[in-house]
Amino acid sequence: MSASVAVARPGQVTGSGKRRIRPGRLAGRTGFFTLLAIFVVASLFPFYWIVITSLKTTAEYNQGTTSLLPPSHITFSNYIDDFTQQDFIRPLLNSVGVSLATTLLTVVVAALAGYALSRTSIRGKSGILGFILLAAFFPALAIVGPMFIAYKHTGLLNTLPGLIICYLILTLPLATWLLTNYFSQIPKELEEAAIVDGSTRVQALRKVIVPVAMPAIFTVAILSFILAWNDFTFAVSFITTANNYTAPLAIYNLGQSQFQVFYNLIDAAVVIISLPIALLVIFAQKRIISGLTAGSFR
Amino acid sequence: MNVWPRGTKIRSVAVIAAGGLLVAGVAACGSSPSSSASSQVAASAKQTIVFASAGLGTEGTATKAAIASFEKLHPNIKVSLLSLSSNSTVAQEQEEHYFLAGSSTPDVLYTDVTWPSTFARSGWIANLNSLKPDTSAFFSGQMATGDYSGGVYAIPWFINAEGIYYNTSLIKTPPTTEAQLVSDAQHALATDKSLKEGLAFEGAEYEGAVTAWQSFGANISVSALSNINNSANQSALTFMYDAIHTYKISPAAVTGWEEANVQAAWLAGQTPFALNWPYIFQLSESTTNGKPTYPAVYGKTAWIPFPSSTPQTSLGGDDLAINAKSTHKAAAWEFIQYLTSSSAQDARAISAGDPPSLTAAYNATLYKAAPYYKDETAVYKAVTSRPVTPVYPQISSSVFQPMISSVLSGQETPSAALSSNAPTVSQLLATAK
Amino acid sequence: MTARDETLASLGPTARAARGPRRSGLARQDRRLGYTLVAPVVIVLLAITAYPLFYNLWNSFHHINYLDIANFGTFAGVSNYAKLFTSDQFVPALVRTIGFTAVSVLVETTIGLGIALALNRPFRGRGIVRAAVFIPWAVPTVVSAELWKTMFDPQSGFVNYILAHLHLPLATTTWLDSTWTAWAAILVADAWRNTPFMAIVLLAGLQVIPQDIYEAAKIDGASAWQTFRRLTLPLLMPALMVALIFRTLSSFLIFDVVYIMTGGGPGTSTQVLSVLNYQAFLDDLDFGYGGAIAVALVIMALIIATLYVRALRPQQET
């Protein structure tokens, strides 16, 4: 093992020559791309289904499925309906706000805890991690009842901050466990070098560990955002006026009356709310690529 | 990384547990059913009451219109709408949260017809006897759903009943016996290749399958619950099974179908017979921009109880109740009386398609705006409610629903299923005493 | 020390000198900092979970049944817990849940690992593929469950349609109508939604591994399989462990997909523990029994997590 570490960026093509592609290699390549194609189709096909359903009129939706192709009469009326008649903008904004706040809080709190649990010598790590896990796996069903009572008495019922607090129970355990594990992979030498250069521990965390672990932090941020964004159980229990609805609540309610379910309306709403997530993933996954080199070895 | 260093685990867990124990005392509050005496606000005072009901869709719009009219008549009372889910199971959960928290709001709440006795037993809704409700003004089958232990705990808001729709262009004369319905359906399927089903009904594992079973003739009145293995139940279950597997007039897919699926099949004209609720009539006769929305069934819709020597149709619909802990009972009662007045009932029937529970509301005004209500009365006359007992939800979800589902998928025969489940039902019924 | 530390062992004398004298003072400072940093997460989670945990614990030892007013509030000893074993619902539901969890975790981990490994390599269009593979997670569970229920409907769904067109078997099944096909449908719906989670966690775990390790291995002449088994897998183990624990426990507590697609049917053949818990609370109004089920679920979750950590610990030994 060499003492001077030239760390290649993950994904950088290594130097071995590619002059001659062996048959086995070609088969491997084809197999690789076929597999990838299968993944993509399997992931996206149901979404394609959602999209074409959202372009159908209600009458056409009731005809049932006769083909995989988009309907001959594409209509955007469902999308227009969702925004004008059903006032979908409000729930969307509520969801964005709540999810962003939850993500921010989660990343900060979990990063601090992850650092402590992986790189300091506190006692009781296993107990703390075990407790965090316990919090994660208490059935949501058993939480909403007592939390409702607690929120009613503290005035947090039907408020978005109340939701944010509850979402932390969804996001913090996973975020803390993940960051604890990712941080533990980073060599101690990195921050020790920084400390020797005069930083405090917390400064070292901010300037050295976090940039190096940026792929992990972005992953945790994406996961937390999506967890908060998608929640239905807590929202349906704690939010009681339409003004405070979050997107999943609104979706669930907008296409329904007691017996009727208007999937074309619902699917249009699903497309609308999936777009921010899709954009988020596309934007953030560029950051995930950054790898270990950012600001580490000099 | 070693996540679990030895020796420190027990101590730290104990510390954390001790911290949590401090909160233990709080755990007791909020779960007792006893209600505290509280001062009631007079009806004439300025006040706001909270009404819990579905707030979206056409029904939500109709509710908001009714609230606006009520507030004009009673300027001192404001009604604030607590928006519940339009899914009744979710709405029940939401209401129960408030009850378990001992909350005095909502003051007025809607209930499905199967909830009042359960809520009453738990002490969550108020006994209305002292308010002297006019019990004869409503369909008696639905009025009875608010009974518990000699008291009236809920007032009918709107009625629903489940009958057989038939397409008059495919079925010239309505069948009068079960066998005739089967042969009509088979004949239609044989002659018209565009039809996909002969009879569409709800067979998924949910409450709708129980109402379907009752509409097909099951006898599940409270007195019959002590032995569900009776001939009426057997023949209704057998019919549901045979429709799929023997007569082949219903596709196996119905074992996953709920009202929305039956609705889709009917409105697209794919089936000559469909079992469903009154909202289908309104949809079938609806027009968009002057043209029929569903041309396959427009003007060709008829609705009858399932043919049998003693026809019955399963009762659905919603009631209204008052929170036992409410401090605005007088104003709440005014609101309920408004919602169940003839004009409000007619308005809702016309705009949201909810059939009135008040018999007097079936009048010229209603028929002029929505003539199809005349054709619905036959189905309402045969209405039969599911058993009015506090343990009905339990019986339905732990016995009836799985039982029907397992029979339809061929896991059990009807008589075996009924006899094996009969003891459980009697047991559950005994706990209601 | 992990394999990683060994690989990038000594950096230089300055780093080592930092671990010098005044160790006990530094150690105390270090610990104090640690406790301060870990306090927020503990306080937040404690504040949220303490009340529900003890609410359910307390309920589980008392008769809190709204349909049984006579005994309401009286001490029940362990009778609610005994009911778990005497009723004929809990144990079968437990068996079903364990079976489903094992299968779904296996399937989702395998596929997720495959996706992560594939996306870890460079190729054109990788960004788009990444985004495409993660989109299922953007759909709320409730919606995706309803969606898949429709997909498997023989009349209005596409599964049978595609199977028929490809002349594959099972094209005429009513999926939700018989036990094993219902489980298959639930598994597909669950896997579609949750495999991206495994992929995203494992991909990040792979990204933290520096490429120079692979360079060194290639120089030493290791095959692809050897590289995977001896290098990648051990280094991926911490991320894999977290992913496995969370995915296993989520599967164990699965509710929405089952409730919406089958309601526990046909009959009770897909009734999982969470559905049972739901019925205890909502239909039976028995919060004592429901509380006991909830507590039992938590205990089982802890057992599962401990088993995982024990099983995967040897790779992490110092």
Side-chain angles (χ1 to χ4, degrees):
Chain A
M1 314 293 170
S2 54
S4 75
V5 189
V7 182
R9 236 171 253 123
Q12 192 178 56
V13 176
T14 55
S16 57
K18 295 206 294 180
R19 261 155 280 146
R20 187 176 64 95
I21 299 180
R22 300 191 303 275
R25 251 284 176 73
L26 187 59
R29 276 271 188 82
T30 325
F32 171 75
F33 278 108
T34 317
L35 220 58
L36 221 50
I38 296 179
F39 287 152
V40 175
V41 169
S43 270
L44 287 185
F45 186 78
F47 205 75
Y48 165 75
W49 191 258
I50 293 178
V51 171
I52 61 174
T53 307
S54 71
L55 297 172
K56 290 185 183 174
T57 59
T58 307
E60 192 170 352
Y61 173 73
N62 284 328
Q63 297 285 350
T65 301
T66 45
S67 88
L68 294 179
L69 299 171
S72 41
H73 305 290
I74 295 187
T75 169
F76 287 99
S77 62
N78 299 320
Y79 290 91
I80 299 174
D81 269 355
D82 279 350
F83 277 115
T84 58
Q85 285 187 14
Q86 315 280 357
D87 185 24
F88 201 59
I89 304 240
R90 200 65 209 264
L92 254 185
L93 289 177
N94 287 340
S95 269
V96 170
V98 167
S99 305
L100 277 181
T102 308
T103 305
L104 214 60
L105 282 172
T106 302
V107 167
V108 169
V109 172
L112 294 178
Y115 182 81
L117 288 166
S118 64
R119 310 176 84 81
T120 65
S121 56
I122 56 173
R123 298 214 189 91
K125 283 183 190 171
S126 59
I128 295 176
L129 281 165
F131 164 69
I132 292 177
L133 205 61
L134 194 147
F137 294 109
F138 205 76
L141 202 52
I143 292 185
V144 290
M147 282 308 283
F148 183 94
I149 297 175
Y151 275 3
K152 188 124 211 327
H153 288 140
T154 53
L156 282 171
L157 197 63
N158 199 29
T159 63
L160 295 181
L163 263 191
I164 294 173
I165 294 174
C166 236
Y167 286 164
L168 291 177
I169 203 186
L170 295 176
T171 59
L172 275 179
L174 179 63
T176 311
W177 269 74
L178 277 178
L179 287 183
T180 305
N181 276 295
Y182 290 140
F183 283 178
S184 70
Q185 295 280 68
I186 300 172
K188 285 208 177 326
E189 289 76 12
L190 277 182
E191 67 191 298
E192 280 168 1
I195 291 171
V196 158
D197 284 347
S199 318
T200 65
R201 293 293 292 275
V202 184
Q203 279 176 332
L205 166 63
R206 199 165 47 87
K207 289 194 284 194
V208 175
I209 305 286
V210 165
V212 161
M214 208 40 105
I217 295 208
F218 258 88
T219 304
V220 164
I222 293 180
L223 290 175
S224 303
F225 188 90
I226 296 182
L227 275 171
W229 183 266
N230 279 346
D231 165 78
F232 178 78
T233 315
F234 288 122
V236 81
S237 303
F238 301 143
I239 301 295
T240 51
T241 52
N243 258 353
N244 291 338
Y245 274 3
T246 55
L249 262 192
I251 291 184
Y252 193 74
N253 280 323
L254 76 88
Q256 285 196 14
S257 55
Q258 195 188 4
F259 299 124
Q260 310 177 52
V261 186
F262 299 108
Y263 279 117
N264 51 336
L265 277 177
I266 289 184
D267 287 349
V270 171
V271 172
I272 296 172
I273 81 161
S274 302
L275 279 180
I277 303 275
L279 287 173
L280 187 77
V281 174
I282 294 180
F283 162 75
Q285 54 96 26
K286 286 204 187 102
R287 297 283 186 279
I288 299 182
I289 300 179
S290 65
L292 283 177
T293 54
S296 56
F297 296 103
R298 294 190 215 282
Chain B
M1 184 201 83
N2 192 348
V3 180
W4 302 92
R6 292 174 289 259
T8 55
K9 192 176 1 183
I10 296 177
R11 198 188 334 154
S12 42
V13 171
V15 164
I16 292 172
L21 269 170
L22 289 174
V23 192
V26 195
C29 89
S31 55
S32 152
S34 64
S35 61
S36 48
S38 41
S39 48
Q40 290 292 325
V41 178
S44 51
K46 213 159 172 341
Q47 58 196 297
T48 307
I49 58 173
V50 180
F51 176 41
S53 177
L56 293 176
T58 49
E59 298 190 312
T61 316
T63 304
K64 290 186 192 135
I67 290 178
S69 311
F70 172 77
E71 286 177 344
K72 273 209 204 91
L73 288 173
H74 297 258
N76 55 316
I77 307 179
K78 285 250 160 296
V79 180
S80 155
L81 182 64
L82 187 81
S83 199
L84 299 177
S85 172
S86 18
N87 177 308
S88 62
T89 318
V90 178
Q92 185 185 354
E93 268 183 77
Q94 292 174 312
E95 286 185 356
E96 284 179 10
H97 283 319
Y98 284 93
F99 294 140
L100 293 172
S103 171
S104 63
T105 59
D107 301 280
V108 183
L109 41 115
Y110 102 98
T111 74
D112 182 86
V113 288
T114 53
W115 305 348
S117 61
T118 315
F119 285 0
R121 184 181 177 92
S122 309
W124 293 335
I125 53 180
N127 188 329
L128 304 175
N129 281 2
S130 58
L131 296 162
K132 309 239 190 316
D134 181 4
T135 56
S136 60
F138 302 96
F139 288 103
S140 58
Q142 190 172 8
M143 193 69 228
T145 61
D147 287 345
Y148 175 71
S149 188
V152 172
Y153 284 83
I155 305 294
W157 187 16
F158 56 85
I159 196 172
N160 261 336
E162 201 173 26
I164 295 283
Y165 285 93
Y166 67 91
N167 190 320
T168 52
S169 64
L170 297 167
I171 309 290
K172 301 301 176 194
T173 48
T176 48
T177 65
E178 178 183 304
Q180 203 180 341
L181 186 146
V182 174
S183 70
D184 284 349
Q186 287 172 327
H187 180 75
L189 278 173
T191 48
D192 187 344
K193 288 305 170 195
S194 71
L195 295 177
K196 289 205 195 147
E197 301 93 24
L199 168 69
F201 69 90
E202 298 82 356
E205 183 161 333
Y206 79 126
E207 182 68 12
V210 182
T211 58
W213 183 40
Q214 192 180 35
S215 297
F216 286 135
N219 181 4
I220 47 176
S221 61
V222 179
S223 47
L225 282 183
S226 38
N227 181 22
I228 59 170
N229 196 9
N230 57 54
S231 61
N233 293 351
Q234 278 175 22
S235 80
L237 255 187
T238 312
F239 175 75
M240 291 168 84
Y241 175 84
D242 284 339
I244 303 174
H245 298 105
T246 320
Y247 310 137
K248 300 212 193 306
I249 53 178
S250 304
V254 299
T255 55
W257 279 16
E258 302 187 10
E259 284 87 358
N261 307 86
V262 176
Q263 167 194 332
W266 168 260
L267 292 175
Q270 293 169 5
T271 174
F273 290 109
L275 179 74
N276 217 322
W277 305 89
Y279 79 104
I280 295 290
F281 220 136
Q282 192 214 15
L283 276 179
S284 306
E285 301 296 314
S286 65
T287 55
T288 342
N289 302 330
K291 283 194 292 200
T293 326
Y294 303 103
V297 290
Y298 183 82
K300 308 173 199 156
T301 307
W303 199 36
I304 52 168
F306 182 72
S308 124
S309 50
T310 47
Q312 63 181 38
T313 56
S314 185
L315 172 75
D318 289 352
D319 294 341
L320 293 163
I322 299 183
N323 187 341
K325 292 210 159 85
S326 164
T327 50
H328 298 270
K329 291 200 176 104
W333 181 240
E334 293 288 324
F335 186 57
I336 291 183
Q337 288 194 293
Y338 174 74
L339 286 179
T340 53
S341 64
S342 192
S343 55
Q345 293 261 308
D346 283 340
R348 194 182 182 93
I350 296 168
S351 65
D354 287 334
S357 56
L358 189 74
T359 48
Y362 289 86
N363 50 35
T365 331
L366 181 62
Y367 294 146
K368 185 149 150 242
Y372 49 84
Y373 277 108
K374 251 190 269 187
D375 301 329
E376 295 185 3
T377 44
V379 176
Y380 297 140
K381 289 222 180 77
V383 95
T384 315
S385 85
R386 283 158 281 169
V388 183
T389 160
V391 291
Y392 173 69
Q394 205 175 353
I395 294 178
S396 176
S397 77
S398 54
V399 178
F400 287 165
Q401 292 172 32
M403 178 180 76
I404 296 174
S405 166
S406 70
V407 167
L408 291 185
S409 58
Q411 288 179 347
E412 270 186 302
T413 63
S415 46
L418 285 165
S419 61
S420 66
N421 281 300
T424 320
V425 175
S426 322
Q427 219 176 1
L428 286 173
L429 206 54
T431 65
K433 305 268 178 291
Chain C
M1 297 249 298
T2 62
R4 210 210 173 290
D5 290 338
E6 282 170 354
T7 319
L8 295 174
S10 50
L11 262 191
T14 17
R16 250 196 291 218
R19 291 183 239 124
R22 293 184 291 123
R23 185 177 269 189
S24 56
L26 271 178
R28 233 185 310 126
Q29 245 185 24
D30 179 74
R31 261 207 293 283
R32 227 178 333 161
L33 175 70
Y35 287 129
T36 319
L37 294 181
V38 89
V41 76
V42 172
I43 291 174
V44 170
L45 288 180
L46 199 59
I48 301 174
T49 59
Y51 181 42
L53 184 58
F54 284 94
Y55 181 90
N56 281 284
L57 254 180
W58 193 86
N59 283 355
S60 69
F61 288 111
H62 291 76
H63 287 118
I64 309 288
N65 185 343
Y66 284 89
L67 298 177
D68 182 16
I69 303 297
N71 290 324
F72 195 92
T74 57
F75 186 65
V78 292
S79 62
N80 283 322
Y81 289 97
K83 194 167 162 191
L84 294 176
F85 300 102
T86 57
S87 87
D88 57 354
Q89 296 173 313
F90 184 78
V91 177
L94 178 62
V95 171
R96 277 178 221 122
T97 312
I98 290 179
F100 172 75
T101 305
V103 174
S104 74
V105 171
L106 193 65
V107 167
E108 289 162 20
T109 307
T110 313
I111 301 181
L113 189 56
I115 296 179
L117 287 170
L119 289 180
N120 197 25
R121 298 202 224 166
F123 60 89
R124 250 193 308 221
R126 171 160 70 156
I128 309 282
V129 174
R130 261 192 233 246
V133 162
F134 296 147
I135 284 235
W137 232 45
V139 181
T141 319
V142 195
V143 175
S144 103
E146 297 270 5
L147 176 77
W148 278 102
K149 182 176 180 191
T150 316
M151 307 265 224
F152 277 104
D153 183 283
Q155 317 275 83
S156 53
F158 76 81
V159 173
N160 283 9
Y161 185 84
I162 288 187
L163 287 177
H165 269 68
L166 292 178
H167 301 291
L168 289 173
L170 295 176
T172 52
T173 18
T174 311
W175 292 83
L176 302 178
D177 190 27
S178 84
T179 310
W180 293 110
T181 52
W183 275 123
I186 293 175
L187 181 65
V188 168
D190 190 58
W192 181 79
R193 187 138 196 299
N194 290 310
T195 308
F197 167 77
M198 293 299 283
I200 207 175
V201 171
L202 294 176
L203 182 59
L206 286 173
Q207 293 283 354
V208 178
I209 302 174
Q211 286 301 297
D212 57 305
I213 292 186
Y214 293 114
E215 294 232 28
K218 195 167 296 205
I219 293 171
D220 285 352
S223 74
W225 174 248
Q226 277 177 325
T227 314
F228 176 74
R229 180 134 172 18
R230 295 276 169 78
L231 270 186
T232 315
L233 210 50
L235 293 177
L236 191 56
M237 202 50 87
L240 185 60
M241 183 180 73
V242 178
L244 278 175
I245 290 181
F246 278 81
R247 191 77 279 285
T248 305
L249 293 175
S250 293
S251 241
F252 193 69
L253 292 175
I254 189 175
F255 176 71
D256 286 328
V257 178
V258 178
Y259 187 71
I260 289 175
M261 286 182 84
T262 63
T268 50
S269 45
T270 58
Q271 189 176 57
V272 291
L273 289 172
S274 287
V275 174
L276 201 61
N277 201 4
Y278 183 80
Q279 282 176 348
F281 283 133
L282 193 71
D283 296 315
D284 306 348
L285 292 182
D286 189 346
F287 290 80
Y289 183 48
I293 297 179
V295 172
L297 286 176
V298 173
I299 293 177
M300 284 187 278
L302 272 179
I303 293 176
I304 293 176
T306 314
L307 283 174
Y308 264 121
V309 175
R310 287 273 162 80
L312 300 176
R313 201 202 314 207
Q315 277 88 347
Q316 301 172 54
E317 217 58 326
T318 4

